[in-house]
Amino acid sequence: AGSVGAGGLLALAVRTTVSAVWRQAARQDWTGTLAAFRELDSARREGRDMRYTNEIGAPARADYFDQLVATAASSGLALERWYGVRIAVDLAELDPAPPDDPAELAALLEAEERLGETDPYRALGQLTHLVFRRPSPT
């Protein structure tokens, strides 16, 4: 964050704790959902990041949205916008193919865009895209 100049932007795409739990539930993996909640509870008690294993089997962490915003603010960056990514897709398959029908694809993209910018749906995105800005000197 220190190398973002005045008026500059920092964009991040992260998995949040909400999506780390929600993804399991959305895929109807109830055992996985309960395990994710147990890990989230442990992480909170221990004051650490939530950990999980990602889709390729690598260890990963999920970030707390509020902590990301607070950390950025402590570095002089203000949250300008944020979006949910992959809300309406990616629930049953790791990487579903897009619809073949152009009209259906256009509807999917429009629905995904609306979901990604609208509360409370955007918090359910598989990723969260945050855009921070360092204010310009006045």
Side-chain angles (χ1 to χ4, degrees):
S3 57
V4 177
L9 295 173
L10 173 66
L12 302 173
V14 299
R15 169 93 18 110
T16 65
T17 56
V18 171
S19 64
V21 172
W22 170 246
R23 184 174 220 191
Q24 303 306 315
R27 290 182 170 184
Q28 298 185 4
D29 176 356
W30 311 124
T31 303
T33 302
L34 294 174
F37 269 121
R38 283 191 299 276
E39 168 56 17
L40 177 61
D41 292 342
S42 293
R44 284 184 176 148
R45 273 193 314 275
E46 297 167 15
R48 62 171 172 80
D49 293 324
M50 180 182 176
R51 299 179 193 121
Y52 68 98
T53 301
N54 69 16
E55 290 74 23
I56 61 171
R61 74 158 205 281
D63 294 295
Y64 299 97
F65 181 88
D66 293 341
Q67 286 182 356
L68 287 169
V69 174
T71 299
S74 71
S75 296
L77 298 171
L79 181 63
E80 188 162 293
R81 303 270 316 211
W82 71 278
Y83 309 87
V85 178
R86 295 183 81 150
I87 298 163
V89 296
D90 194 47
L91 299 180
E93 295 180 44
L94 179 58
D95 198 9
D100 291 328
D101 176 11
E104 187 178 353
L105 177 59
L108 167 81
L109 294 173
E110 183 178 345
E112 186 71 26
E113 186 172 336
R114 290 289 310 273
L115 289 164
E117 66 185 13
T118 306
D119 283 330
Y121 316 107
R122 66 182 174 171
L124 300 177
Q126 298 312 313
L127 294 172
T128 300
H129 181 211
L130 301 106
V131 180
F132 297 97
R133 182 179 297 279
R134 182 173 307 281
S136 297
T138 54

